[in-house]
Amino acid sequence: MISLNNISKKYNMGHVTVNALGPVTLTIHKGEFVAVLGPSGSGKSTMMNILGCLDRPSLGEYLLDNTPVHGFSRTKLARVRNMKVGFVFQSFNLLPFATAYENVELPMLYAKISGKEREHTVKHLLEIVGLSDRASHRPAELSGGERQRIAVARALANNPDIILADEPTGNLDSKSGAEILNLFEQLHADGKTLIFVTHDENLASHAKRIIRLLDGKINQDYTQN
Amino acid sequence: MFVHGFKMISQFIGDMKKQKLRCFLTMSGITWGTMSVILLLAFGESFRIASMKNMSGMGNNIVVMGGSRTTLPYKGLPPGRYIQLREETVSLLKDYIPDIGYLSPETQKYVTLSIGPQKQNNNCVGVYPGYGMLRNLFPQKGGRFINPLDMENRRRVIFIGTQISEKFFAKESNPVGKILMVNGIPFTVIGVMQNKVQNSSYMTQDKNIVFIPYTTCRDVFGAKYVNRIIFKAKNDVDTPKIKENIHEVLGRRLGFAKDDKDAIWMWDTTEMTQFIHYFFLGFEAFLFLGGVLTLIVGGIGVANIMYVSIRERRREIGIRTALGATPRLILLQFMLESFIIMFIGGSLGVLGAWLIVTLFGSPALTGVQVVLGKPVINLNIALIVATVLALTGFAAGWSPARNASNMDPVRALEF
Ligand SMILES: Nc1ncnc2c1ncn2[C@@H]1O[C@H](COP(=O)(O)OP(=O)(O)OP(=O)(O)O)[C@@H](O)[C@H]1O
Ligand SMILES: [Mg+2]
């Protein structure tokens, strides 16, 4: 379960302070399927980064499975990123010199999973995203859609409960985007918590809950069928 | 854990392969620095040893003394009188100054050496048996130096330098037992001097001299005075005290004031030994500093490269930390890279230095080796270089690696 309590993020830009996010109070339960929408600059990425422990809030409390992570050290945050959340980026963020296989394997190396188990999991994940035959390809040898599917497989590596995706389809054509969303729906069916940012109302309509941000604050938050 | 460590390290090395040129340039800096330190130390050391050895060609820590002119009045006698040493001076020294070890007078004659029609004018020196030890005159195999029986019996025996041997005797033949005429008087050769390097002398070099027993010399050629007396302290540290005593003892006997240091001249090679010792201490410190500075410059190169590398790989670091790499692991990765560069660069440097030292030790270069010695890479040098390399690697890697490990993933991924 995710619980944000008066979370905000401010940037000091010389004389002025930019309020990028918040204050935001928000609860997301296990197994929810959430789409985050909002105009450019409304704070979507800022919120996702805080949720994914990639960034730390300026103020407020963040409870992740009832653990207050807002005050965690860098090392502890690294563990949370490694084990509890999988993050999918708009620009894929795969290691360019590593193969698809090695990219998916990386979070498991950091989790000190044994070689046998790693091999088993990587193969399984590549199968799920339908890229078993691309295991030894490097990112440059893959299409955008394939790269993002590898990134999704990587996000699943340590079997986290939560998958976060910041505009995962932003760099993809509509067909590849649909494939990614398809994957998300599968994961949702498997009981994962899914939160993704999009500009595409059509894609957002697949989610069960919609959160609309405006100027760093939650403007609308509703469930759809 | 070890398995993961291994996988990590092989991954780091994989990463480094992507940066071949960068690593290559840095490594060459380290290789160059390592080679400089080792070579400077190895050659400095061998040069010192060679110089010491060449110095001792004339003798180890000996004092050569001879009579001169007084500069002070003594018991109503005016200054400017000649002081001359005699054979009895030698026994006087032996009796009064027990700290003296080997002791020998030297009576130098200019003679004609001949065998049949072959003739050569040459220095001939009459000495005591101890002279061989004083002046490092060691016989080649099958020969010997003058002994006490030669002295006692005033034997007509002769010990010859290598040049004399080459001049009068065929190359392969052994001159020992053969006859060499000295001013027409037959002398039996008892030994040929072993080759030695001698970088100082007061007559000609020993290889051009012939030596005969002092008593024989006195009988055959006459010797009222001795030209010089050579001695060595039983214990080298006593040399200054002995020199002091000599002025006092001889002053009373030969008639000069004990403060009249110029009445007797003395050449103390221990002073030279000490000078050489300190000279090389400074010389080696200088070389070492030069080498270490070179290495440090190499280390700064590594640090710089690490900074550049981390800037270039900011995104990679961001990805790794986003996926759960702990700051410690990032630190470890970059420290390890720094050490690997140091290790490979250092090893190549050691190899290069070893090659040069080996080439330098080849027989083709014996001429240079006489002066510079045969360089060796000893354990001390190896330990010093290893320590300096490790410290440099640590210093160079630490700060950039620290910076990299302290980046929040979003900051690293912004670029
Ligand atoms: N590092 C930063 N320094 C200063 N201001 C920042 C920084 N990062 C974000 N901001 C500001 O915070 C606000 C929110 O940015 P954010 O990236 O979260 O918006 P977004 O909703 O993701 O927009 P987009 O749809 O364009 O991705 C913006 O006004 C942005 O200029
Ligand atoms: Mg954004």
Side-chain angles (χ1 to χ4, degrees):
Chain A
M1 193 185 75
I2 287 169
S3 168
L4 300 184
N5 187 11
N6 280 321
I7 285 284
S8 60
K9 180 76 184 177
K10 294 175 170 39
Y11 290 103
N12 268 323
M13 310 291 286
H15 309 289
V16 288
T17 307
V18 178
N19 188 49
L21 181 72
V24 165
T25 299
L26 174 70
T27 302
I28 296 172
H29 294 281
K30 186 170 175 357
E32 281 201 75
F33 190 7
V34 183
V36 178
L37 290 114
S40 185
S42 58
K44 304 182 296 291
S45 294
T46 308
M47 187 173 86
M48 292 300 277
N49 289 337
I50 290 172
L51 287 175
C53 292
L54 296 168
D55 202 357
R56 290 187 278 192
S58 311
L59 280 172
E61 291 177 333
Y62 173 12
L63 300 182
L64 182 61
D65 291 337
N66 295 320
T67 315
V69 296
H70 50 271
F72 268 21
S73 67
R74 284 198 175 87
T75 303
K76 278 183 152 181
L77 286 175
R79 300 255 156 75
V80 173
R81 290 192 297 267
N82 187 227
M83 300 302 295
K84 294 211 154 207
V85 293
F87 209 103
V88 179
F89 302 87
Q90 179 175 353
S91 53
F92 320 125
N93 279 339
L94 298 173
L95 290 182
F97 44 80
T99 61
Y101 184 100
E102 289 166 343
N103 267 292
V104 177
E105 188 186 26
L106 196 57
M108 285 186 272
L109 275 174
Y110 295 144
K112 301 180 175 151
I113 308 286
S114 76
K116 225 180 183 155
E117 200 183 331
R118 288 203 307 267
E119 192 181 336
H120 176 82
T121 312
V122 174
K123 281 185 174 154
H124 174 67
L125 290 173
L126 287 176
E127 217 163 277
I128 287 182
V129 299
L131 290 173
S132 299
D133 54 339
R134 299 284 197 279
S136 57
H137 287 228
R138 285 171 210 287
E141 298 155 3
L142 297 169
S143 75
E146 287 168 337
R147 283 182 219 177
Q148 197 60 304
R149 273 143 71 197
I150 293 296
V152 172
R154 183 180 67 181
L156 293 168
N158 286 325
N159 197 20
D161 286 336
I162 303 163
I163 302 293
L164 302 168
D166 189 357
E167 294 193 50
T169 61
N171 285 351
L172 304 181
D173 58 46
S174 52
K175 184 174 161 282
S176 306
E179 278 171 7
I180 295 295
L181 215 78
N182 211 354
L183 268 175
F184 283 3
E185 286 187 307
Q186 260 182 59
L187 295 172
H188 169 59
D190 291 346
K192 302 260 184 223
T193 310
L194 263 142
I195 307 169
F196 72 101
V197 172
T198 185
H199 281 287
D200 188 335
E201 295 285 344
N202 195 23
L203 287 180
S205 67
H206 291 260
K208 298 288 182 296
R209 180 177 170 187
I210 306 282
I211 295 174
R212 291 185 192 274
L213 293 185
L214 189 63
D215 292 335
K217 297 193 178 64
I218 295 175
N219 189 33
Q220 283 183 310
D221 183 352
Y222 59 94
T223 320
Q224 56 184 20
N225 38 23
Chain B
M1 178 63 214
F2 180 75
V3 177
H4 305 107
F6 184 75
K7 174 87 193 182
M8 292 280 170
I9 289 172
S10 65
Q11 202 189 17
F12 296 162
I13 292 172
D15 294 353
M16 287 175 70
K17 278 192 199 145
K18 314 286 188 309
Q19 327 244 357
K20 276 185 202 118
L21 181 70
R22 182 177 67 80
C23 290
F24 171 76
L25 289 175
T26 321
M27 271 179 209
S28 10
I30 298 303
T31 303
W32 180 247
T34 310
M35 227 160 82
S36 314
V37 176
I38 297 182
L39 286 180
L40 292 178
L41 289 178
F43 276 88
E45 180 73 5
S46 71
F47 186 29
R48 185 176 69 85
I49 292 170
S51 301
M52 285 293 197
K53 204 173 118 199
N54 296 351
M55 260 281 307
S56 66
M58 204 182 84
N60 297 330
N61 294 332
I62 59 171
V63 179
V64 184
M65 57 185 271
S68 186
R69 290 177 78 177
T70 60
T71 55
L72 296 174
Y74 178 75
K75 291 189 175 166
L77 296 167
R81 287 169 303 118
Y82 285 96
I83 300 295
Q84 287 194 300
L85 306 180
R86 300 156 189 271
E87 195 187 354
E88 62 179 55
T89 320
V90 179
S91 27
L92 197 71
L93 291 178
K94 199 183 275 166
D95 294 343
Y96 280 84
I97 308 176
D99 286 337
I100 291 180
Y102 291 110
L103 178 67
S104 171
E106 212 176 46
T107 299
Q108 186 182 341
K109 302 288 172 195
Y110 204 62
V111 300
T112 305
L113 303 177
S114 63
I115 292 181
Q118 212 172 0
K119 275 189 175 43
Q120 175 169 312
N121 291 332
N122 211 83
N123 272 318
C124 172
V125 185
V127 296
Y128 283 7
Y131 191 83
M133 294 307 291
L134 284 166
R135 294 286 307 276
N136 289 338
L137 295 170
F138 301 117
Q140 289 179 16
K141 239 177 110 185
R144 62 174 179 82
F145 194 69
I146 297 158
N147 68 22
L149 278 174
D150 297 332
M151 280 281 289
E152 213 174 292
N153 300 325
R154 300 162 197 194
R155 285 179 184 154
R156 293 183 182 177
V157 291
I158 192 162
F159 184 88
I160 63 180
T162 42
Q163 298 270 306
I164 308 295
S165 170
E166 276 165 34
K167 164 111 193 174
F168 285 98
F169 301 98
K171 221 175 183 152
E172 304 305 323
S173 75
N174 187 356
V176 173
K178 304 239 166 71
I179 298 295
L180 180 64
M181 307 296 272
V182 182
N183 282 358
I185 302 163
F187 277 71
T188 309
V189 176
I190 53 169
V192 180
M193 183 186 98
Q194 266 179 31
N195 252 326
K196 66 175 180 181
V197 175
Q198 181 186 355
N199 63 4
S200 49
S201 67
Y202 46 82
M203 298 180 272
T204 48
Q205 295 227 325
D206 292 347
K207 60 186 177 195
N208 286 320
I209 301 178
V210 296
F211 303 89
I212 59 175
Y214 180 82
T215 46
T216 315
C217 184
R218 186 187 57 200
D219 278 13
V220 175
F221 305 109
K224 193 174 169 202
Y225 301 111
V226 302
N227 296 68
R228 287 167 295 274
I229 294 174
I230 301 178
F231 70 86
K232 176 173 164 53
K234 280 179 183 150
N235 210 329
D236 288 336
V237 293
D238 293 330
T239 308
K241 197 180 75 195
I242 293 173
K243 280 158 49 183
E244 214 39 52
N245 283 350
I246 286 176
H247 281 276
E248 206 179 317
V249 171
L250 293 191
R252 252 183 282 132
R253 187 62 63 100
L254 301 177
F256 60 86
K258 71 171 198 269
D259 300 325
D260 194 351
K261 299 298 178 212
D262 290 329
I264 304 267
W265 65 262
M266 285 192 191
W267 181 14
D268 181 357
T269 67
T270 53
E271 283 170 4
M272 192 61 188
T273 312
Q274 244 167 23
F275 169 77
I276 294 231
H277 176 76
Y278 286 116
F279 171 79
F280 274 98
L281 216 64
F283 185 57
E284 278 177 12
F286 172 75
L287 290 182
F288 177 67
L289 220 72
V292 168
L293 280 178
T294 315
L295 250 188
I296 287 174
V297 170
I300 293 171
V302 175
N304 183 44
I305 294 279
M306 295 305 286
Y307 266 115
V308 171
S309 154
I310 283 164
R311 209 168 53 213
E312 279 172 357
R313 294 163 70 185
R314 211 173 153 140
R315 190 167 196 91
E316 177 200 329
I317 296 166
I319 294 172
R320 289 180 184 280
T321 49
L323 296 175
T326 54
R328 226 188 62 183
L329 200 66
I330 300 290
L331 186 78
L332 193 78
Q333 166 173 1
F334 285 97
M335 287 307 281
L336 204 77
E337 280 194 16
S338 162
F339 274 115
I340 289 174
I341 292 175
M342 280 298 191
F343 183 77
I344 298 178
S347 305
L348 288 176
V350 171
L351 197 76
W354 178 80
L355 268 175
I356 291 176
V357 163
T358 309
L359 279 179
F360 202 86
S362 75
L365 287 169
T366 24
V368 197
Q369 284 161 18
V370 166
V371 182
L372 283 182
K374 229 178 182 162
V376 278
I377 299 174
N378 60 30
L379 191 69
N380 275 346
I381 295 177
L383 281 178
I384 290 172
V385 170
T387 313
V388 172
L389 275 176
L391 284 177
T392 321
F394 189 81
W398 181 253
S399 165
R402 230 9 249 202
N403 277 2
S405 71
N406 275 337
M407 268 191 281
D408 273 325
V410 254
R411 297 297 147 258
L413 286 171
E414 264 165 8
F415 294 83

